[in-house]
Amino acid sequence: MEADKPRKPAAQARRQFLLDSARMACGVGLLGIGIGLYAKQAKALPPLALRPPGALKEKDFLGACVRCGLCVRDCPYDILSLATPDEPISTGTPYFVARQLPCEMCEDIPCVKACPTGALDHQLTDIGKAKMGLAVLVDQENCLNFLGLRCDICYRICPLIDKAITLEQQLNARTGKHALFIPVVHSDQCTGCGKCEKGCPLPVAAIKVYPTELAKGEPGKHYRLGWVEKDKAGGSLVAPDVQHQYNLPEGMRYESGKGLVPGGEAAPAVPPGSAAPGTQPVVPRALQGGKL
Amino acid sequence: MSTGVEAVAAKGWLGAHKWLLLRRASQLGILALFLLGPLAGVWIVKGNLTFSYTLNFLPLTDPYILLQSLLTRHLPETKAFVGAAIVLAFYLLVGGRVFCSWVCPVNMVTDAAGWLRERLGIKGGAHISRRTRYWILAMTLVLALATGTIAWELANPVSMFHRGLIFGMGAGWAVILALFLFELFVSNDGWCGRLCPVGAFYSLLGKFSFVRVTAAKRAACNDCMDCFVVCPEPQVIRPALKGVDGAGPVILAANCTNCGRCIDVCSKEVFAFGTRFGNKVAKVSQPAGEMTPAACK
Ligand code: SF4
Ligand code: SF4
Ligand code: SF4
Ligand code: SF4
């Protein structure tokens, strides 16, 4: 075409400028895509790293925190650190590892007060409302209480004892006569401070605090719990309640705690499974693994 | 090789290194203030260059990171804005890239690399345009907007180095070493003069800043070229020194870092600190355009 025609200097300069700009845009664009993809990866917090109290949702936190470390400095127990580039946490952001040093749940929450950006939300004034994560009793095979012992440490150490963790009694199926005291965490109360994880006496903790998004399930939006709805409505919503009828073999009757026994009248006084509050729930023999 | 010899002869070693010494004192002094807390338990300054809190009273925020945070659609607390306003006002007064030459810790690393480069006689390397930094600056802002996170902080060696020195480096050392080697072997002034978006951001303030270096006595220039050799942004000197297109003696170019190296190195004491308003055109010693491009390196 006009390639061999001598170019006017202005046109040549313009062409050079456009070329340079294109080159620059490509190079810098590539770099940007690289960092962008890396940023996308770095958005997920590894399970063992917890954010200080009041931290915004991880995605928002990474846009709000300027990595200044004032929260780190004002924590009187020195539990927080800023991530270095070799750690799998967004570089420069504050975190703690519960098993090393849990949050002591300071009443005046100095870390939140120190934060100049609101990455730690200043709306949080009651540390009991913090949501740093959620404790989960992950290893039910090794938890001492699950084995029937009375360790109870996670329960006793919890700053919100009997609210965030309760002990639920169950029958010890192994012995058939003892109780298991099962630590149960309640997500509406647990602050994720990590004291339970720190306190667990096993070489590797059976109870661990995970970022809430990892730890918590979510029911389907359309799920309704029948018994809840019934309570709300003050009565059955579908059909009138009828007394449950047992169809027992002839000449047998059901007796609470014993199961089927020979004899006349049926209709147990207490329906199976229910128990007066505070007493050992009674499990039918059939469910205990014994023969009928 | 003989850069600065004349100046030392004329003004003595101290006179020819005055601003350099002051600059190092400033860079190290600021770092020391930050380190006093963690190392000695004396908490005068908390935090790091992105945000610091002095004597539990004075907030200082890096306006560049605040801008990125705003682009992620986060609205920070007032304290962060107050800190940024103070910092903006300060650099508008003393010169935008004063951050680079008087505060930034990376400057000591790149200066060390530059010094070694000259010692070892390393020449040439990759050609990177000095405009690249503005593209990178734009890229970091787009990243904040697109990812909703301050993504540049994952890679920013400036904050990484400063934060690392105070809070623990981890693998940050590798990044700083890479930067040093890059400056040494790949590109002279490669990071600070061509790539760093932090410097690029502060240079935007330099467009309006009050304190500027001026070639007030440019009539005395004897064309030794030493200032062009020591200047980290040599392209800024020529218009003011040579009065290109009738330019006045004040170095108005935004990328002048107000480091004062040209003041130190000039045996004729052509340069001095002044203000951007002392720019009336005095008599020009010689017509423009005598400079050979090679001298500008
Ligand atoms: S609540 Fe107290 S112990 Fe927990 S992170 Fe904040 S300052 Fe530290
Ligand atoms: S104080 Fe706030 S902005 Fe600073 S590091 Fe902690 S969370 Fe981030
Ligand atoms: S993390 Fe553990 S100790 Fe802390 S509130 Fe939750 S259950 Fe209690
Ligand atoms: S250009 Fe960047 S790295 Fe260099 S001194 Fe300025 S801010 Fe620091």
Side-chain angles (χ1 to χ4, degrees):
Chain A
M1 297 194 319
E2 48 173 3
D4 34 13
K5 248 201 272 169
R7 246 170 247 282
K8 283 198 211 110
Q12 207 166 0
R14 194 179 322 124
R15 187 187 139 93
Q16 190 59 41
F17 174 79
L18 287 176
L19 260 177
D20 282 350
S21 300
R23 201 173 292 145
M24 202 94 77
C26 290
V28 173
L30 273 180
L31 181 69
I33 289 168
I35 299 176
L37 291 177
Y38 178 39
K40 202 152 184 222
Q41 263 183 18
K43 258 187 209 176
L45 199 61
L48 289 185
L50 300 172
R51 294 293 185 203
L56 302 177
K57 278 218 257 42
E58 188 62 12
K59 193 198 149 293
D60 300 331
F61 183 80
L62 292 177
C65 171
V66 296
R67 289 82 164 149
C68 68
L70 283 203
C71 51
V72 176
R73 290 302 181 221
D74 279 11
C75 172
Y77 299 96
D78 223 357
I79 66 156
L80 302 172
S81 356
L82 294 185
T84 57
D86 44 314
E87 289 168 320
I89 305 162
S90 201
T91 305
T93 54
Y95 73 98
F96 70 98
V97 176
R99 186 67 166 168
Q100 288 161 12
L101 284 172
C103 170
E104 298 289 336
M105 288 178 60
C106 311
E107 237 163 73
D108 52 342
I109 335 183
C111 48
V112 171
K113 281 193 189 147
C115 178
T117 61
L120 308 182
D121 193 347
H122 288 216
Q123 309 276 359
L124 180 75
T125 47
D126 172 6
I127 187 68
K129 299 248 157 66
K131 289 271 171 275
M132 296 170 262
L134 178 60
V136 187
L137 211 163
V138 258
D139 190 354
Q140 309 195 343
E141 289 170 329
N142 286 308
C143 167
L144 299 175
N145 272 30
F146 266 86
L147 295 177
L149 305 166
R150 288 301 300 269
C151 160
D152 292 2
I153 290 181
C154 54
Y155 164 74
R156 301 232 168 259
I157 209 172
C158 176
L160 296 168
I161 182 169
D162 282 327
K163 288 195 232 141
I165 300 196
T166 52
L167 293 179
E168 307 293 328
Q169 291 182 25
Q170 281 180 17
L171 186 85
N172 185 338
R174 182 173 55 83
T175 67
K177 34 183 177 287
H178 301 97
L180 297 178
F181 290 82
I182 301 300
V184 176
V185 179
H186 303 279
S187 62
D188 55 332
Q189 297 280 338
C190 172
T191 63
C193 71
K195 292 224 116 186
C196 50
E197 180 177 343
K198 171 70 175 165
C200 179
L202 301 185
V204 177
I207 189 164
K208 294 193 174 86
V209 178
Y210 288 133
T212 313
E213 308 82 77
L214 271 185
K216 193 97 181 88
E218 200 182 296
K221 293 263 183 289
H222 60 290
Y223 279 22
R224 299 289 178 273
L225 302 177
W227 53 97
V228 174
E229 298 303 316
K230 189 173 140 187
D231 271 358
K232 268 200 248 166
S236 176
L237 290 162
V238 257
D241 279 331
V242 279
Q243 187 67 37
H244 188 76
Q245 300 282 319
Y246 291 96
N247 294 314
L248 301 173
E250 224 168 295
M252 303 289 268
R253 70 187 163 82
Y254 184 85
E255 208 167 87
S256 177
K258 290 197 186 126
L260 288 179
V261 289
E265 270 304 296
V270 190
S274 79
T279 63
Q280 182 76 6
V282 184
V283 183
R285 270 271 286 293
L287 301 180
Q288 294 174 18
K291 276 199 185 145
L292 284 181
Chain B
M1 276 295 100
S2 60
T3 313
V5 172
E6 281 177 59
V8 174
K11 304 191 279 189
W13 191 88
L14 218 55
H17 293 86
K18 188 173 70 184
W19 292 107
L20 181 71
L21 291 174
L22 283 173
R23 229 154 50 73
R24 293 290 177 249
S26 160
Q27 288 165 331
L28 292 169
I30 290 169
L31 200 56
L33 276 179
F34 276 104
L35 284 171
L36 218 51
L39 295 186
V42 183
W43 293 102
I44 297 174
V45 185
K46 277 181 198 166
N48 58 49
L49 284 179
T50 57
F51 177 87
S52 66
Y53 207 35
T54 304
L55 295 170
N56 283 327
F57 163 70
L58 174 72
L60 296 173
T61 314
D62 174 15
Y64 174 43
I65 201 167
L66 190 76
L67 176 62
Q68 292 173 72
S69 182
L70 285 171
L71 286 174
T72 72
R73 292 169 284 275
H74 172 73
L75 195 65
E77 298 282 318
T78 326
K79 205 196 259 179
F81 284 108
V82 173
I86 296 172
V87 169
L88 283 174
F90 177 75
Y91 286 113
L92 279 175
L93 179 68
V94 300
R97 288 196 68 199
V98 160
F99 174 79
C100 295
S101 51
W102 293 79
V103 178
C104 180
V106 172
N107 176 269
M108 289 187 275
V109 176
T110 53
D111 273 4
W115 176 84
L116 192 62
R117 190 181 169 91
E118 202 189 308
R119 274 298 151 104
L120 301 178
I122 300 170
K123 292 258 144 59
H127 174 76
I128 306 166
S129 160
R130 287 189 183 267
R131 281 189 300 127
T132 315
R133 53 188 148 193
Y134 294 106
W135 287 83
I136 295 183
L137 173 62
M139 179 268 283
T140 62
L141 299 181
V142 169
L143 266 186
L145 197 66
T147 66
T149 73
I150 308 179
W152 172 240
E153 278 306 295
L154 292 171
N156 184 357
V158 180
S159 56
M160 202 183 282
F161 188 39
H162 191 256
R163 190 194 312 115
L165 289 171
I166 297 165
F167 288 88
M169 259 310 205
W173 285 116
V175 176
I176 301 307
L177 181 69
L179 202 70
F180 180 84
L181 295 176
F182 173 75
E183 288 269 339
L184 184 60
F185 295 116
V186 183
S187 172
N188 189 28
D189 290 328
W191 176 254
C192 294
R194 300 165 203 279
L195 299 177
C196 176
V198 184
F201 176 86
Y202 280 98
S203 82
L204 299 179
L205 304 181
K207 278 197 176 8
F208 313 100
S209 63
F210 182 67
V211 176
R212 301 272 68 189
V213 173
T214 162
K217 293 198 235 154
R218 60 185 178 187
C221 172
N222 67 354
D223 284 334
C224 74
M225 297 295 170
D226 280 359
C227 54
F228 287 94
V229 176
V230 294
C231 180
E233 303 279 346
Q235 77 282 4
V236 307
I237 296 182
R238 194 165 164 257
L241 183 63
K242 297 296 155 191
V244 176
D245 296 334
V250 176
I251 298 180
L252 290 173
N255 270 309
C256 168
T257 68
N258 280 9
C259 64
R261 274 179 264 206
C262 52
I263 308 178
D264 275 347
V265 85
C266 181
S267 59
K268 301 291 174 204
E269 310 212 37
V270 165
F271 298 96
F273 278 114
T275 75
R276 74 182 307 115
F277 303 110
N279 203 17
K280 51 184 182 329
V281 184
K283 253 201 284 147
V284 179
S285 64
Q286 37 180 265
E290 267 203 17
M291 205 63 55
T292 57
C296 302
K297 228 170 155 205

